[in-house]
């Protein structure tokens, strides 16, 4: 369907958003639409805000943790040795039985 068949589009306004890297994004919104407080920067992906002087801070990225790292956070070495000993005892009992 062409634009002439849809009728006229709503009046628009461009709104400036700035990210922590200083990039400016200018999406357009209908005049009567509520503009969001933040917008994802299309250049770097960081959140962008309406205040050029105080853009949103870049989110803190946690380094990738392996499953073992998460387990070590929850279990002490003694707990790990006890669980291992229990699992080995079950395996040995299954092999003998």
């Amino acid at each position: 369907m062409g634009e002439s068949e849809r009728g006229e589009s709503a009046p628009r306004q461009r709104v400036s958003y700035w990210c922590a890297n200083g990039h400016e994004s200018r999406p357009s919104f209908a005049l009567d639409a509520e503009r969001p407080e933040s917008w994802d920067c299309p250049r770097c992906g960081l959140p962008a805000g309406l205040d050029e002087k105080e853009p949103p801070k870049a989110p803190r990225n946690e380094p990738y943790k392996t499953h073992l790292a998460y387990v070590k956070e929850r279990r002490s070495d003694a707990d790990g040795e006890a669980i291992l000993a229990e699992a080995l005892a079950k395996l040995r009992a299954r092999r003998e039985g």
Side-chain angles (χ1 to χ4, degrees):
M1 190 151 68
E3 189 172 320
S4 61
E5 295 171 356
R6 287 184 291 194
E8 292 187 33
S9 61
R12 318 233 4 119
Q13 67 176 340
R14 288 214 170 262
V15 179
S16 292
Y17 290 89
W18 289 271
C19 72
N21 288 334
H23 302 139
E24 180 184 13
S25 305
R26 292 184 40 87
S28 65
F29 298 96
L31 283 176
D32 59 348
E34 187 176 325
R35 61 186 193 185
E37 290 294 315
S38 66
W39 193 261
D40 288 341
C41 176
R43 289 183 62 192
C44 65
L46 291 177
L50 298 167
D51 186 355
E52 182 179 9
K53 307 262 188 282
E54 290 289 327
K57 303 246 185 286
R60 186 172 163 228
N61 290 331
E62 295 291 327
Y64 175 77
K65 289 185 185 178
T66 64
H67 175 70
L68 182 58
Y70 283 109
V71 169
K72 286 183 174 184
E73 286 180 0
R74 294 190 316 263
R75 307 269 188 201
S76 67
D77 287 343
D79 290 340
E81 288 177 20
I83 292 170
L84 178 61
E86 181 182 334
L88 288 173
K90 284 181 183 178
L91 286 173
R92 288 180 183 128
R94 195 180 329 162
R95 190 171 11 142
E96 293 172 2

